[in-house]
């Protein structure tokens, strides 16, 4: 999907939504509607054709500049087209497996 759209959004969601993040991380968007499964709300980005998670604390809209093969993953390098902090809060960061942390 990233290669086809040539864009992506990085959503910074609240720590309290970690269970919803696990659902999104464990399931392919090809097989399920992640918004329907999690109850998250879709909002359209303003500079690219990708959804933003309405419950996000902040987001970054990006176009793909390049990609790197990292073995079992692909790393996409993006150019930031727009970013917005909507509100303050404990942002969710994935560390490994089912583990998360926050900076606050």
């Amino acid at each position: 999907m990233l290669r086809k759209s040539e864009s992506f959004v990085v959503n910074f969601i609240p720590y309290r939504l970690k269970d919803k993040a696990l659902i999104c991380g464990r399931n392919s968007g090809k097989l399920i509607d992640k918004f329907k499964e999690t109850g998250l709300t879709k909002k359209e980005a303003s500079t690219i054709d990708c959804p933003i998670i309405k419950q996000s604390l902040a987001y970054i809209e990006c176009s793909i500049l390049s990609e790197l093969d990292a073995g079992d993953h692909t790393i996409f390098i993006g150019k930031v087209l727009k970013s917005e902090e909507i509100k303050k809060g404990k942002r969710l960061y994935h560390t490994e497996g089912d583990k998360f942390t926050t900076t606050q």
Side-chain angles (χ1 to χ4, degrees):
M1 290 181 81
L2 286 171
R3 285 185 186 100
K4 187 176 179 180
S5 71
E6 298 180 345
S7 59
F8 61 94
V9 174
V10 178
N11 292 280
F12 296 94
I13 62 171
Y15 187 82
R16 63 180 171 76
L17 296 179
K18 64 182 177 183
D19 293 337
K20 295 179 186 301
L22 283 173
I23 293 169
C24 291
R26 290 179 178 156
N27 296 283
S28 169
K30 291 180 182 180
L31 304 176
I32 68 165
D33 180 336
K34 294 181 184 187
F35 286 96
K36 185 177 178 181
E37 283 293 317
T38 60
L40 294 170
T41 308
K42 187 186 294 190
K43 175 182 166 185
E44 293 304 318
S46 62
T47 63
I48 56 176
D49 186 24
C50 290
I52 295 168
I53 298 171
K54 188 176 179 180
Q55 292 85 350
S56 292
L57 299 171
Y59 64 89
I60 305 170
E61 298 179 17
C62 303
S63 63
I64 294 176
L65 291 177
S66 63
E67 60 182 86
L68 301 168
D69 181 358
D72 62 344
H73 287 77
T74 301
I75 299 171
F76 290 91
I77 309 300
K79 176 181 179 181
V80 175
L81 302 175
K82 179 182 178 184
S83 63
E84 182 178 0
E85 181 178 51
I86 300 162
K87 58 185 167 183
K88 302 281 184 195
K90 292 183 177 183
R91 294 180 184 184
L92 181 71
Y93 296 98
H94 182 249
T95 55
E96 65 177 307
D98 293 351
K99 295 178 183 176
F100 296 92
T101 191
T102 188
T103 57
Q104 295 181 0

